[in-house]
């Protein structure tokens, strides 16, 4: 559908604009024939308000339509789309494969990003050579590819073995299932469907997460928040500052148990993974290539003066739209929601602000970076726990890392900058030192 009318400057006298508004309202009525109110897509309401159809029409002429609303998802445009309309043999779509998931495509991009040969292609180069990697990782990905191509059972057309397991693991996480209950579900599925291809246990299914690179690092910490037993101090048994023992127990069947453990989710690999999906990689350049450049309205942090000033001060960073601007949020909360158990835990979350305003604050893109243990707030000692994250941020700023871009099938040098923190005032005082 032609939408050039959305940018017509003289709305009141333009027959093109009037005809475009009429088509939009006809589509909206057909989309919700029994509704008396509709989302208003004008510049002011931006689909946040439900109004009678005549008021929506008035707003569209008085305020103009939101120019960024190019896909009319709230007014029925998506209903005429076919699930497979974008596929053709020229695009590499295999008509003999009917699985609705695109897990194999995702693995193709992930594999290319994981096994890319840094030495074979310079940073500015185009398409990469075939990815290389060690035999262990390659075998893991080969198994994942096989599972992505294998149907869940012989006549299944909706799920591959891999996509079903991934969805089942996701339900376990969202639903808070125990490992025992997850194993019981797997046993029930195997008993009910003899030909089903599922793992025999949670631990077997969990190997998929390791194969896809979802892991974290446990770093032992001084119980008094003095230091981390990490890097050059990884082999120490006592804290050199307070002389506190690293271990809670040094004997027994369980062996040594650390008194305090920081869980760190490595940042660089997670930022690189954002570019291993074609769609997400394209969205990472939204702030430069697709947003509406209107400084009179603040819709996203890219509209703020600080963003533009940062681009002026660091022009080398701004040259590549894929370089990441990050925000950091942290605060403590009572893990048990019970004042009788005064235990607080402190998550540190990173937000990639390159993404469009409707994505950057969504759950899938909020990256948990650190999980700092309690039982009490660290105060100014929180900087001890921020060391692994700060080290990676410094590497991303100064040196950058070679990263595979699935949207261009090539490599580039990824840099990142931490521009904002989100805190209440006590946490802001602590994190600022």
């Amino acid at each position: 559908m032609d939408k050039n009318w959305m940018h017509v400057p003289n709305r009141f006298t333009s027959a093109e604009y009037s005809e475009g508004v009429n088509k939009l309202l006809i589509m909206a009525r057909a989309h919700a024939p029994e509704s008396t109110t509709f989302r208003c897509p004008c510049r002011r309401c931006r689909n946040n308000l439900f109004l009678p159809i005549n008021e929506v029409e008035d707003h569209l002429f008085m305020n103009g339509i939101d120019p960024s609303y190019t896909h009319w998802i709230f007014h029925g445009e998506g209903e005429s789309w076919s699930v497979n309309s974008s596929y053709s043999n020229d695009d590499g779509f295999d008509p003999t494969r009917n699985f609705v998931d695109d897990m194999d495509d995702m693995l193709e991009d992930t594999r290319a990003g994981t096994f890319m040969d840094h030495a074979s292609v310079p940073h500015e180069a185009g398409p990469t050579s075939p990815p290389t990697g060690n035999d262990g990782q390659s075998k893991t990905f080969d198994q994942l590819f096989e599972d992505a191509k294998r149907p869940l059972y012989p006549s299944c057309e909706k799920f591959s073995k891999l996509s079903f397991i991934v969805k089942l693991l996701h339900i376990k996480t969202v639903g808070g299932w125990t490992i025992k209950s997850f194993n019981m579900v797997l046993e029930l599925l195997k008993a009910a469907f003899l030909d089903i291809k599922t793992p025999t246990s949670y631990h077997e299914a969990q190997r998929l997460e390791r194969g896809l690179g979802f892991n974290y690092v446990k770093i032992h910490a001084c119980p008094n928040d003095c230091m981390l037993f990490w890097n050059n101090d990884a082999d120490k048994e006592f804290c050199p500052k307070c002389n506190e023992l690293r271990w809670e127990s040094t004997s027994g069947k369980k062996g040594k148990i650390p008194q305090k453990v920081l869980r760190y989710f490595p940042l660089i690999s997670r930022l690189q993974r954002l570019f291993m999906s074609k769609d997400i990689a394209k969205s990472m350049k939204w702030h430069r290539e697709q947003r509406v450049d209107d400084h009179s309205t603040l819709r996203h942090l890219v509209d703020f003066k600080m963003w533009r000033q940062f681009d002026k001060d660091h022009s080398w960073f701004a040259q590549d739209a894929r370089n990441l601007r990050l925000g950091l949020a942290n605060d403590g909360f009572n893990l048990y929601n019970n004042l009788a158990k005064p235990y607080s835990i402190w998550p540190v979350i990173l937000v990639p602000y390159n993404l469009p305003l409707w994505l950057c604050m969504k759950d899938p893109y909020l990256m948990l970076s650190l999980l700092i243990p309690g039982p009490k707030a660290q105060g100014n000692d929180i900087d001890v726990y921020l060391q692994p994250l700060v080290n990676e941020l410094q590497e991303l700023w100064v040196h950058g890392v070679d990263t595979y871009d699935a949207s261009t099938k090539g490599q580039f040098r990824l840099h990142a900058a931490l521009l904002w923190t989100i805190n209440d005032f006590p946490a802001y005082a602590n994190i600022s030192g």
Side-chain angles (χ1 to χ4, degrees):
M1 182 182 294
D2 182 18
K3 297 177 182 175
N4 291 328
W5 62 270
M6 295 172 61
H7 306 284
V8 171
N10 194 345
R11 301 186 295 273
F12 295 99
T13 60
S14 172
E16 182 185 1
Y17 189 87
S18 179
E19 183 180 353
V21 169
N22 189 41
K23 288 182 179 179
L24 173 61
L25 297 180
I26 290 173
M27 182 185 294
R29 288 193 185 97
H31 174 60
E34 298 179 358
S35 179
T36 58
T37 59
F38 302 84
R39 289 181 183 267
C40 179
C42 76
R43 290 175 180 266
R44 183 171 297 176
C45 299
R46 298 188 183 281
N47 291 308
N48 292 318
L49 295 180
F50 288 83
L51 301 173
I53 197 73
N54 59 329
E55 291 189 31
V56 173
E57 184 176 10
D58 291 342
H59 280 211
L60 289 174
F61 280 98
M62 293 169 59
N63 304 324
I65 189 170
D66 178 7
S68 65
Y69 185 48
T70 56
H71 180 201
W72 300 337
I73 56 175
F74 298 118
H75 299 85
E77 183 177 12
E79 289 188 346
S80 61
W81 288 14
S82 170
V83 174
N84 294 324
S85 62
S86 61
Y87 291 119
S88 66
N89 291 334
D90 294 336
D91 295 330
F93 175 68
D94 181 7
T96 63
R97 185 181 183 279
N98 297 318
F99 300 138
V100 296
D101 64 88
D102 59 350
M103 196 67 68
D104 55 344
D105 293 333
M106 180 201 73
L107 285 172
E108 194 74 56
D109 293 331
T110 304
R111 178 170 185 157
T114 303
F115 298 107
M116 65 181 184
D117 186 356
H118 297 284
S120 63
V121 183
H123 306 323
E124 301 84 314
T128 60
S129 58
T132 60
N134 62 58
D135 292 338
Q137 287 178 306
S138 183
K139 287 179 181 179
T140 300
F141 267 87
D142 288 341
Q143 182 61 49
L144 291 174
F145 273 113
E146 287 300 316
D147 289 343
K149 296 175 182 176
R150 184 181 295 117
L152 183 61
Y153 51 86
S155 60
C156 181
E157 296 182 352
K158 290 190 174 181
F159 295 103
S160 66
K161 177 184 175 182
L162 178 60
S163 67
F164 183 79
I165 296 170
V166 169
K167 288 175 174 63
L168 204 59
L169 286 168
H170 181 242
I171 294 172
K172 175 195 177 296
T173 302
V174 173
W177 294 2
T178 62
I179 294 177
K180 182 178 180 180
S181 63
F182 187 84
N183 289 339
M184 290 171 66
V185 170
L186 292 178
E187 291 173 7
L188 178 63
L189 288 171
K190 282 193 170 293
F193 308 99
L194 299 180
D195 294 331
I196 196 170
K197 306 293 184 182
T198 58
T200 57
S201 68
Y202 170 72
H203 294 294
E204 185 179 337
Q206 197 180 31
R207 284 191 300 214
L208 291 171
E209 296 176 312
R210 292 194 289 270
L212 292 171
F214 301 124
N215 54 8
Y216 64 90
V217 179
K218 291 182 179 179
I219 302 175
H220 300 170
C222 169
N224 297 321
D225 306 324
C226 302
M227 62 167 288
L228 297 177
F229 295 97
W230 175 67
N231 275 357
N232 296 332
D233 299 321
D235 297 329
K236 292 185 177 179
E237 298 288 326
F238 294 87
C239 172
K241 184 175 180 180
C242 67
N243 208 34
E244 184 72 33
L245 182 64
R246 174 178 181 172
W247 312 103
E248 185 176 289
S249 172
T250 57
S251 61
K253 295 182 180 179
K254 294 184 178 180
K256 295 182 177 182
I257 300 175
Q259 293 202 55
K260 207 167 192 178
V261 178
L262 167 71
R263 285 164 174 82
Y264 178 58
F265 300 79
L267 176 62
I268 290 176
S269 60
R270 300 176 81 188
L271 296 183
Q272 289 176 317
R273 199 176 297 127
L274 290 173
F275 294 92
M276 292 181 189
S277 164
K278 298 180 182 69
D279 294 334
I280 299 175
K282 290 177 182 176
S283 295
M284 298 304 287
K285 296 181 284 187
W286 169 87
H287 65 96
R288 173 84 52 85
E289 298 178 354
Q290 300 178 43
R291 75 180 181 91
V292 177
D293 192 4
D294 178 12
H295 296 318
S296 64
T297 305
L298 299 180
R299 304 182 187 91
H300 186 278
L301 288 174
V302 69
D303 297 318
F304 280 70
K305 290 182 179 179
M306 180 181 176
W307 188 297
R308 298 194 294 274
Q309 186 62 44
F310 182 84
D311 285 352
K312 291 180 182 178
D313 295 341
H314 307 282
S315 56
W316 64 270
F317 186 94
Q319 284 177 358
D320 194 333
R322 294 170 293 190
N323 286 333
L324 280 162
R325 276 86 164 178
L326 301 172
L328 182 148
N330 80 298
D331 203 354
F333 69 96
N334 192 320
L335 184 64
Y336 304 104
N337 195 26
N338 187 347
L339 295 179
K341 297 179 180 179
Y343 187 102
S344 67
I345 194 165
W346 290 67
V348 176
I349 297 172
L350 290 170
V351 185
Y353 284 120
N354 287 45
L355 290 168
L357 54 99
W358 54 87
L359 289 180
C360 64
M361 297 302 291
K362 295 293 185 181
D363 289 350
Y365 306 103
L366 299 179
M367 297 182 289
L368 179 64
S369 178
L370 293 162
L371 204 56
I372 304 173
K376 56 182 176 57
Q378 303 81 29
N380 289 335
D381 291 331
I382 195 172
D383 60 346
V384 171
Y385 295 94
L386 293 174
Q387 288 178 79
L389 175 59
V390 170
N391 280 12
E392 281 201 280
L393 287 172
Q394 288 177 334
E395 181 180 353
L396 284 165
W397 171 254
V398 177
H399 303 292
V401 290
D402 287 319
T403 301
Y404 175 80
D405 185 343
S407 65
T408 62
K409 302 295 184 183
Q411 292 186 41
F412 72 103
R413 194 73 171 174
L414 173 66
H415 293 267
L418 180 64
L419 298 187
W420 294 278
T421 61
I422 308 168
N423 321 94
D424 57 17
F425 276 107
Y428 174 63
N430 295 143
I431 204 168
S432 300

